[in-house]
Amino acid sequence: MATAKKTDYVILGLLSHEPLTGYDIKQRMDTSLSLFWGASYGSIYPALEGLLRDKKIKAADVSTNGREKTQYTITAKGKKYLKQWLSEPVEKDELRSETLLKLFFGSCAEPSDSLAHVEAFRKTAERTLAVLHQMEASLEPVLQEDPAHRYYLLTVRCGIRMYEAYAAWCDEAEDELHDGQGTADK
């Protein structure tokens, strides 16, 4: 299954919890999964078409008030496919950060530019931490209501640790940049 698109698995995983429209799937990716996964509408809808063709999901028209809407649900074949993938070893975990990429090449820029990137990164980390703490607080009291909540909480707590580390790193990076260690080559 190494060649399968990960977006297929993300969609199947989301649909294993509840029926969703394409719009709903995108919203879940932009909120619940945004710490570790993302996808555009341009990749979601082709994936949905492929999953429909392979009979891993089914579609139902749930149009209302003249608005066309299609709701997708996972099939037994889709559940089996998802379960198989979940049992396989992780192929590759990766972190991509434009902030770190720009900082890596920071000697070619003004130190103030690098400092501005670190400051923006800190603000993002602080905002994300606030959201993660809210998610943690809302999940803790409902752990027994659904087995999935325990797994959601584990990913939220990982995110909290990551963003706490990012904020601490920002302190170190700002100290380093303020000390004049990153002078641009002229």
Side-chain angles (χ1 to χ4, degrees), residues 3 6 12 20 46 51 68-69 78 101 136 148 150 172 179:
T3 59
K6 297 294 189 274
L12 291 170
L20 298 166
L51 291 167
E68 290 186 30
K69 288 172 94 176
L101 187 61
E136 181 182 40
R150 182 163 309 284
E172 295 171 16
D179 287 344

Side-chain angles (χ1 to χ4, degrees), residues 121-139:
F121 191 70
R122 173 194 300 287
K123 288 178 183 174
T124 298
E126 289 171 351
R127 281 191 308 271
T128 304
L129 265 171
V131 170
L132 289 168
H133 283 297
Q134 289 174 345
M135 292 170 76
E136 181 182 40
S138 67
L139 282 166

